Amino acid sequence: MQSVIKKGIYDVGVEDWNVRDFHGYSTEKGTSYNAFLIVDEKIVLVDTVKKEFFDQLIRNISKIIDPSKIDYVISNHTEMDHSGSIPKLMHIIGKDKPLYCSNLGEKALSAHFGDNYNYKVVAGGSELNIGKRDLVFLETKMLHWPDSMFTYVKQDKVLFSSDAFGQHYAGFEKFNDNISESVIMPHAKKYFANILTPFSDKILKLIEEVKGMNLEIDIICPDHGIYWRKNPLSIIEQYGEWAKQNANDKALVIYDTMWNSTESMALSITDGIASTGVNAIPMHARKWHRSDIQTEVLDSKAIVFGSPTLNNGIFPTIADVMTYLKGLKPKNKIGASFGSFGWSGEAVKILNAEFTNMKIDLVNDGLKVKYVPNHEVISKCFDFGVEIGNAVKG
Ligand code: FEO
């Protein structure tokens, strides 16, 4: 499906309705790979699509112009959901046509596709005239790859923002004025939490820089999901809030269990936390996807991990979630560990060490229970939860 972004600026991207796993991120509503055609004295394609969707990209472009007439290609970001079609595209339009990218974009594109294209490196703030329009390139290094940049169409006030402000959402509604905020914002939040959290400080800095440039923006077009046309600046403001990683009075009790002992502990700890007035969610690690857990982590104060001891270690699903969260570098959190064991009981010690690696302060030394928690231990778990709840409230 195609949309007109502004007169002469077209959405030629594709919907990926059926993808459910995007390199470890659960995409329950699919996604889209957005690409944009600007028809001016020069014909410009901004970004491409995953290589599997190349034919569809070409069909979409063909409804507007003969694809071989494209003069310039702009690659805002090298990750292959946006650059994967470049080789086939350059084969059609001619490999000598200019391919605009950032300095690190050239290096990344060369590493993926070879150095035999006519790369044109653009600096942040530089401009390219394409006829009636000027394109301005904005350096957005590490949002979220070293090569990332934005392209701004000055006369139309359209910002092509690459992955930033995106959502993994496939839909017929291509603008935020066609979809309820309550439907799309959870996808935007999940995207921020899982892709952009580690770059929160850079985002805060970039927002200040963009504000300083006084860019007029009518539409923000990310490379995934819908476009922000109604109150376009509100998503930038929302990014500013998420990037602060302010925590609510909220705690997550993330656990797995072998014979329900650690689960019994988890549920009692959750009750103890909730008794202090703090929102607490018990999250079974085999029932919650790691990317949905991370979305809840974004605005939670406490992360509590529970794991049985298995073969002198932590349970594999808990190791999975812990590794994933560690990479996303959450801030402003406190942590605690618990778990049942049979004979060696290393899990709590390992979890505490992981929290320390993540620079997350521990509420206490943790709670471990041999085999099955009895009534007295369940009561201790409740008190353990109360201690966490009180720590959340500070
Ligand atoms: Fe949508 Fe970083 O690629």
Side-chain angles (χ1 to χ4, degrees):
M1 192 191 62
Q2 291 165 272
S3 309
V4 177
I5 308 286
K6 285 246 178 159
K7 193 175 175 202
I9 303 181
Y10 305 90
D11 166 12
V12 288
V14 302
E15 307 296 310
D16 189 350
W17 297 96
N18 294 309
V19 65
R20 289 293 177 270
D21 183 315
F22 192 95
H23 58 46
Y25 176 140
S26 70
T27 47
E28 56 279 2
K29 293 293 284 182
T31 193
S32 65
Y33 312 113
N34 300 336
F36 309 95
L37 190 74
I38 309 173
V39 179
D40 204 313
E41 287 168 26
K42 296 291 182 187
I43 296 172
V44 180
L45 181 69
V46 181
D47 289 325
T48 71
V49 300
K50 231 179 188 177
K51 65 181 178 185
E52 293 85 346
F53 293 87
F54 172 73
D55 290 346
Q56 202 176 330
L57 171 71
I58 290 299
R59 279 199 298 277
N60 290 345
I61 295 171
S62 299
K63 289 174 194 164
I64 302 160
I65 50 123
D66 172 353
S68 68
K69 305 285 186 211
I70 291 173
D71 296 296
Y72 301 155
V73 178
I74 294 171
S75 173
N76 278 333
H77 176 33
T78 308
E79 195 163 6
M80 282 185 289
D81 45 335
H82 311 298
S83 71
S85 290
I86 283 177
K88 284 185 177 173
L89 180 81
M90 298 312 281
H91 183 71
I92 287 180
I93 71 172
K95 72 181 181 63
D96 294 330
K97 295 271 181 77
L99 174 46
Y100 291 90
C101 56
S102 67
N103 179 29
L104 293 170
E106 180 188 20
K107 291 182 170 59
L109 287 167
S110 298
H112 282 78
F113 307 119
D115 57 7
N116 59 343
Y117 295 121
N118 183 14
Y119 296 114
K120 298 281 187 193
V121 169
V122 291
S126 62
E127 297 193 9
L128 174 68
N129 178 266
I130 59 168
K132 295 187 183 69
R133 296 174 175 85
D134 297 300
L135 309 184
V136 185
F137 303 107
L138 307 179
E139 187 197 301
T140 59
K141 195 173 172 182
M142 292 317 300
L143 290 182
H144 68 124
W145 274 24
D147 56 275
S148 298
M149 67 177 195
F150 292 176
T151 299
Y152 174 68
V153 189
K154 215 191 243 183
Q155 289 74 8
D156 294 286
K157 302 171 187 168
V158 172
L159 181 68
F160 298 116
S161 63
S162 188
D163 278 332
F165 315 121
Q167 332 91 49
H168 281 314
Y169 180 86
F172 294 110
E173 321 89 338
K174 285 309 292 187
F175 296 93
N176 67 324
D177 38 290
N178 296 329
I179 190 168
S180 147
E181 200 174 300
S182 64
V183 171
I184 202 61
M185 288 311 285
H187 294 287
K189 181 182 177 186
K190 180 171 179 177
Y191 194 93
F192 181 95
N194 284 274
I195 307 288
L196 294 157
T197 300
F199 313 111
S200 292
D201 290 345
K202 288 184 188 302
I203 288 167
L204 291 171
K205 201 165 157 240
L206 178 73
I207 289 172
E208 288 312 309
E209 282 171 15
V210 169
K211 278 183 182 166
M213 292 170 77
N214 292 318
L215 287 185
E216 291 181 85
I217 297 175
D218 280 356
I219 307 179
I220 298 175
C221 298
D223 274 353
H224 297 286
I226 59 97
Y227 310 131
W228 306 97
R229 181 167 66 181
K230 180 181 164 192
N231 302 326
L233 300 186
S234 65
I235 188 65
I236 299 180
E237 294 296 329
Q238 183 60 68
Y239 262 47
E241 289 305 308
W242 286 330
K244 287 179 198 160
Q245 296 194 44
N246 287 333
N248 294 331
D249 282 359
K250 179 173 159 187
L252 310 179
V253 182
I254 304 159
Y255 69 96
D256 207 328
T257 195
M258 294 169 71
W259 294 103
N260 301 106
S261 291
T262 302
E263 181 162 63
S264 300
M265 296 175 76
L267 298 180
S268 184
I269 290 167
T270 304
D271 285 347
I273 297 170
S275 75
T276 66
V278 168
N279 290 326
I281 309 176
M283 308 179 104
H284 189 305
R286 270 180 283 165
K287 296 177 185 174
W288 284 73
H289 193 274
R290 67 176 84 81
S291 54
D292 292 318
I293 293 176
Q294 166 58 18
T295 307
E296 297 296 335
V297 164
L298 181 65
D299 56 10
S300 294
K301 180 69 185 173
I303 310 174
V304 186
F305 268 102
S307 175
T309 296
L310 175 68
N311 300 327
N312 308 107
I314 55 175
F315 207 73
T317 49
I318 294 299
D320 175 318
V321 177
M322 186 63 110
T323 300
Y324 188 67
L325 299 191
K326 195 181 348 179
L328 290 163
K329 302 181 175 64
K331 287 183 176 172
N332 305 328
K333 312 294 177 202
I334 56 176
S337 311
F338 66 95
S340 132
F341 67 101
W343 48 99
S344 57
E346 290 91 342
V348 165
K349 192 174 160 193
I350 294 169
L351 290 171
N352 281 349
E354 291 287 353
F355 275 126
T356 304
N357 284 340
M358 292 167 75
K359 299 186 172 54
I360 291 177
D361 291 336
L362 290 166
V363 175
N364 52 36
D365 293 337
L367 181 62
K368 59 183 192 177
V369 171
K370 195 167 173 89
Y371 288 120
V372 180
N374 59 20
H375 183 72
E376 188 188 339
V377 170
I378 288 296
S379 176
K380 266 192 196 168
C381 289
F382 185 90
D383 294 343
F384 183 82
V386 170
E387 187 184 359
I388 294 166
N390 287 334
V392 166
K393 294 195 295 181

